[in-house]
Amino acid sequence: MTAPTTKPLTLDRLLQSQGYGTRRWCQEMIAAGALEMDGETITDYRHKVRPEAHQYRVEGQPMTWRAQVYLALYKPAGYECSRKASHHPGIHTLLPEQMTWREVQPVGRLDHDTTGLLLLSDDGAFIHRQASPRHHVSKVYLATTQEAVTPALVALLLNGVKLHDEPAPLAARSCRQVGSHQVEMVLAEGKYHQVKRMLAAAGNHCTALIRTRIGGLTLDSLGLEPGGWCHLDAAQLALLTPG
Ligand code: URA
């Protein structure tokens, strides 16, 4: 994670960095009196400040300056993770417009019909690290199946199943039956449609899928409703580091 900068910024650049629009637009907003700093309206956008040293309101709403943003979203069904969503609305529509201006990206993808925990950030190094197979952060999925779950299915998923475009069989790190038609799988990788393809290769079919945990960060601990999102603090981010 990037440490907060102490480099002074002009107020237009400060607002721009937080996703309030183009530099020109931010200049106009400030000149029109939209920015309050430490309780005072400042209309000179050339004024230089250390961003983290002040409190701000933009159009009356509190704004916490953040060098970078790290978000958790409870992805609902019916949303696409791709940048140019085509068949369903994009996950970006669930976030404030500032996040689009900040070019917040998801860490990996969930299928349009998969729900659950999705991380997003505008920190490219963080996204790269989290998505890298070498990072080895486990992901936990709860899958609902069409056919009843059997001990043989669990054994197959644990021992590894061959997927047609994968050179080696893929196995769950751990796997347990949690209902007559539900299985919880812990995966080390994030291959395309991995849970659904592993279940299909094991002779069953996934009818619903939710990601409940990434590393040590559980969806439940965040208290989000489907479609809800929150900023992650340092302690929550530390749970995403293997170790
Ligand atoms: N595995 C899948 O099959 N789909 C997802 O969205 C995530 C993991």
Side-chain angles (χ1 to χ4, degrees):
M1 265 109 279
T2 315
T5 180
T6 51
K7 207 176 125 208
L9 283 181
T10 53
L11 288 174
D12 55 343
R13 283 199 189 277
L14 183 143
L15 272 201
Q16 187 186 14
S17 74
Q18 302 303 289
Y20 283 89
T22 62
R23 191 160 165 217
R24 181 91 197 106
W25 177 255
C26 292
Q27 289 173 354
E28 283 175 16
M29 278 176 78
I30 294 166
L35 177 67
E36 257 178 56
M37 191 174 80
D38 301 330
E40 255 184 69
T41 302
I42 305 208
T43 53
D44 179 6
Y45 59 76
R46 283 162 298 218
H47 188 74
K48 273 197 168 179
V49 294
R50 286 228 328 274
E52 72 280 17
H54 301 277
Q55 300 208 312
Y56 309 94
R57 294 181 89 88
V58 180
E59 290 175 332
Q61 301 301 314
M63 177 194 85
T64 303
W65 181 81
R66 288 183 166 92
Q68 234 109 37
V69 284
Y70 304 92
L71 312 178
L73 171 71
Y74 186 160
K75 182 191 170 296
Y79 285 81
E80 281 183 30
C81 288
S82 56
R83 198 157 169 67
K84 291 207 174 112
S86 50
H87 296 102
H88 302 274
I91 47 164
H92 287 90
T93 61
L94 297 164
L95 301 171
E97 203 189 345
Q98 283 97 292
M99 299 304 168
T100 303
W101 278 99
R102 290 187 77 141
E103 300 190 18
V104 159
Q105 303 294 327
V107 177
R109 289 183 182 186
L110 291 177
D111 300 334
H112 78 87
D113 55 353
T114 300
T115 61
L117 182 56
L118 183 69
L119 306 177
L120 300 105
S121 181
D122 58 356
D123 178 348
F126 169 81
I127 294 178
H128 185 73
R129 207 166 44 244
Q130 287 295 319
S132 156
R134 270 184 273 147
H135 195 58
H136 292 307
V137 170
S138 58
K139 285 143 194 123
V140 183
Y141 295 90
L142 182 64
T144 305
T145 57
Q146 193 165 307
E147 311 299 334
V149 173
T150 61
L153 176 81
V154 172
L156 267 175
L157 296 169
L158 281 171
N159 291 333
V161 286
K162 181 82 184 73
L163 304 184
H164 83 273
D165 53 352
E166 291 297 329
L170 290 178
R173 256 188 191 173
S174 68
C175 181
R176 65 185 180 103
Q177 179 168 0
V178 290
S180 68
H181 289 71
Q182 277 198 323
V183 68
E184 186 188 73
M185 290 168 67
V186 182
L187 299 186
E189 317 84 355
K191 309 269 183 197
Y192 181 66
H193 293 331
Q194 185 169 344
V195 173
K196 293 175 185 169
R197 287 160 73 220
M198 285 178 71
L199 282 167
N204 207 316
H205 175 71
C206 179
T207 55
L209 185 59
I210 175 167
R211 182 155 68 191
T212 56
R213 178 156 70 80
I214 299 175
L217 183 68
T218 62
L219 181 61
D220 274 356
S221 71
L222 298 170
L224 298 171
E225 296 293 325
W229 65 277
C230 62
H231 288 279
L232 295 175
D233 61 25
Q236 290 166 323
L237 288 170
L239 296 172
L240 301 171
T241 307

